[in-house]
Amino acid sequence: MKPRTDLTTGPITSTLLLFALPTLGSSVLQSANGSIDAVWVGNLLGENALAATTNGNLVMFLLTAFVFGFGMAATILIGQAIGRGSMHEAKEVVGTAVGTFAPLAVLIAVVGWFLAPHLLAVLGTGPEITPLARAFLRVTFLAMPAILMQTMLMMALRGAGDALTPLIFMALAVVLDVILNPLFILGKGPFPQMGIGGSAFAMAVANYTSLVAMLVYVYLRRHPLRLTGTELQMLRPAPHILRLMLSKGLPIGLQMVVVSSAMLTMMSLVNREGVDTTAAFGANQQLWTYVQMPAMALGAAVSAMAAQNIGAGRWDRVSRITRVGIALNFLLTGGLVLALAFADRYALALFLGADSPAIAIGQHIANVATWGFIAFGITMVLFGTIRANGQVIWPLIILTISLYPVRLGVALGLRGWLGVDALWLSFPVAMVATMLMAGALYLHGGWRRDSAISHLEDAEVAELGPQLSVTTEASPPTSPRNPGLPPARETTPAE
């Protein structure tokens, strides 16, 4: 199946769904991979080893969160450039992204190897698991260049309308990781016995192999975003593109940090309620990871598709893409919420055991809170559209408000009236609050005037300066770094 790069024509519903499904598949594979790795480590090395991996996974998540932000910025810029018919500008974004983050990822690996013991001390790692955690974290840092660059490239490909290639090579990385984990942990066959470090080493081998295979595939298939010949000079970061990626990417990365820190705060409140309640909440968190995946995939698909249509000036399609995304969210996320309502006991038993007293608590938590993910899905679609035109500050502000003053306000402020149920109710209340604020931003926020690609062109013109002043009436304006390309099409909203 050949990846489709043009998302500005054709039926919206089928195109959006076919684009979102591979992204959803990638998310499911990532989560399943983490779960399977935990099973290998826990069963082969014991509870201390499993606890030690938590530190490495936390560091990996925080680093990936920031790269996700810059990858999302690249998705927006690439999508708008392709929508405008400027593959050259799309390649410039790819070149700047790779040229900037490849050396940075290597630097992170080297510095992380030496700072791992100090980082564990900052995280407050217990002395009984520190040696295991140090061995795991150091090898995890060695895997980071492949993980970070693969994340960046996969998001760039999605910005070009290609969600299938990332799925193929995510699947390759997951399969290799699952197979290699026990081999490197136990030292089977020709593989060395590495203990807990073997789990991280398997992850490194799997991701480096997948990254190289993806690059080979991109060039053999002559993917439109590949850099060849003189285009390789684009790997030298363009300052105006890098500035724009930083200004758009940092707030998106911070959103993930805000979400994580808010969850850690809520977790500290849940831990006070006893072991059974904590276990029940943890089991629901595992289920919620999968419930929210369709919303996340739809949000990413809407963002990539809307970016191309904004670049092409097709604002009528942008509005329809948003409406279709919301309808598909009701179908997919709503369907999962409904299915879980009927099968919650069986689903919770997978994590808690069939006879656990925590199951009844877990069912109550699910009944109070899980429906909120429908509102969460609508928010992801609205934020996906808004971000597609470069507006990233207001979504960060909205998330911060809903996750701290709103969620914590309900959890703590209503505690005396509702008891522990105030904790569970705070989740859907925060999700609904986020949805309402996102809806107000979408309808009245003025985000349609904030064009990321026009900022790119303005920055480029300012950087080149006076040399652009010499033009003639006989020659139509062209992109200064892309001779022969037509000027940008008008992007006045049709709504």
Side-chain angles (χ1 to χ4, degrees):
M1 178 181 175
K2 185 178 179 180
R4 179 180 178 182
T5 58
D6 184 8
L7 303 177
T8 62
T9 59
I12 289 176
T13 302
S14 59
T15 301
L16 183 61
L17 189 58
L18 290 175
F19 190 80
L21 287 177
T23 306
L24 174 60
S26 297
S27 298
V28 172
L29 284 172
Q30 279 184 304
S31 294
N33 185 37
S35 300
I36 294 171
D37 284 356
V39 169
W40 280 129
V41 171
N43 281 275
L44 297 178
L45 297 175
E47 292 181 357
N48 280 355
L50 184 59
T53 64
T54 304
N55 298 276
N57 290 333
L58 176 60
V59 172
M60 185 169 63
F61 172 80
L62 291 174
L63 290 173
T64 306
F66 279 102
V67 171
F68 172 84
F70 297 115
M72 195 71 231
T75 297
I76 294 166
L77 295 175
I78 290 169
Q80 287 200 14
I82 289 176
R84 295 173 61 248
S86 178
M87 188 58 69
H88 184 90
E89 277 193 3
K91 289 185 175 184
E92 279 190 314
V93 176
V94 173
T96 295
V98 173
T100 300
F101 288 98
L104 183 61
V106 173
L107 180 63
I108 287 173
V110 174
V111 172
W113 174 273
F114 292 103
L115 291 185
H118 306 288
L119 195 55
L120 292 172
V122 171
L123 292 172
T125 306
E128 69 279 8
I129 64 171
T130 292
L132 293 170
R134 181 170 58 245
F136 183 81
L137 184 57
R138 276 183 160 167
V139 184
T140 297
F141 271 113
L142 294 183
M144 288 312 298
I147 294 171
L148 298 181
M149 290 313 303
Q150 193 160 228
T151 300
M152 176 69 72
L153 289 175
M154 285 181 174
M155 298 189 73
L157 291 172
R158 292 187 185 115
D162 178 8
L164 185 61
T165 300
L167 174 62
I168 293 171
F169 292 97
M170 177 60 69
L172 175 62
V174 169
V175 170
L176 286 175
D177 192 10
V178 169
I179 294 173
L180 292 176
N181 243 277
L183 300 181
F184 280 114
I185 289 174
L186 298 176
K188 296 292 185 180
F191 300 98
Q193 183 177 356
M194 300 177 67
I196 192 172
S199 179
F201 192 72
M203 176 175 61
V205 171
N207 280 278
Y208 278 109
T209 302
S210 178
L211 175 62
V212 171
M214 183 169 66
L215 289 172
V216 171
Y217 176 86
V218 162
Y219 277 86
L220 289 179
R221 295 293 298 268
R222 303 177 65 84
H223 196 283
L225 284 186
R226 75 193 189 285
L227 303 180
T228 58
T230 58
E231 293 173 341
L232 292 172
Q233 296 177 10
M234 296 178 184
L235 291 171
R236 186 177 66 230
H240 65 285
I241 296 177
L242 182 57
R243 281 195 298 271
L244 192 54
M245 289 185 66
L246 289 170
S247 67
K248 303 299 180 185
L250 187 59
I252 298 175
L254 285 174
Q255 287 179 35
M256 297 186 69
V257 174
V258 168
V259 170
S260 302
S261 63
M263 182 55 72
L264 288 174
T265 303
M266 292 300 297
M267 197 69 225
S268 67
L269 297 177
V270 173
N271 286 337
R272 301 174 185 175
E273 303 302 323
V275 174
D276 286 344
T277 299
T278 300
F281 179 72
N284 269 295
Q285 275 192 297
Q286 291 289 334
L287 296 175
W288 291 345
T289 297
Y290 293 94
V291 170
Q292 70 185 357
M293 281 182 183
M296 300 291 287
L298 282 169
V302 164
S303 192
M305 195 169 178
Q308 285 200 21
N309 282 274
I310 289 170
R314 297 294 308 274
W315 282 91
D316 59 317
R317 282 177 62 87
V318 172
S319 301
R320 287 156 54 200
I321 289 165
T322 305
R323 290 194 295 268
V324 169
I326 290 173
L328 289 175
N329 170 70
F330 272 111
L331 181 65
L332 297 178
T333 305
L336 279 177
V337 169
L338 186 61
L340 193 58
F342 287 101
D344 55 351
R345 181 173 185 84
Y346 304 103
L348 290 166
L350 293 174
F351 300 97
L352 299 172
D355 299 322
S356 172
I359 286 182
I361 302 172
Q363 286 180 290
H364 178 69
I365 294 172
N367 290 335
V368 173
T370 304
W371 63 270
F373 283 96
I374 298 174
F376 169 84
I378 296 172
T379 300
M380 289 299 99
V381 171
L382 295 174
F383 278 174
T385 303
I386 292 166
R387 277 197 293 256
N389 205 34
Q391 175 54 259
V392 294
I393 299 298
W394 274 108
L396 173 60
I397 294 172
I398 288 172
L399 273 177
T400 303
I401 292 171
S402 63
L403 294 181
Y404 279 96
V406 175
R407 181 187 284 177
L408 285 179
V410 171
L412 297 175
L414 299 183
R415 183 62 186 271
W417 178 33
L418 298 176
V420 70
D421 278 354
L423 291 179
W424 321 136
L425 186 62
S426 71
F427 285 91
V429 168
M431 292 176 190
V432 171
T434 310
M435 179 190 70
L436 294 175
M437 287 186 281
L441 177 63
Y442 176 79
L443 294 174
H444 308 293
W447 58 274
R448 294 169 182 82
R449 297 189 298 271
D450 183 22
S451 176
I453 208 71
S454 69
H455 291 179
L456 175 58
E457 292 173 331
D458 292 343
E460 187 175 30
V461 170
E463 185 177 301
L464 291 174
Q467 62 181 299
L468 301 178
S469 61
V470 181
T471 58
T472 65
E473 293 183 5
S475 301
T478 60
S479 175
R481 292 177 66 169
N482 311 318
L485 288 177
R489 276 175 278 184
E490 179 62 47
T491 57
T492 301
E495 296 181 313

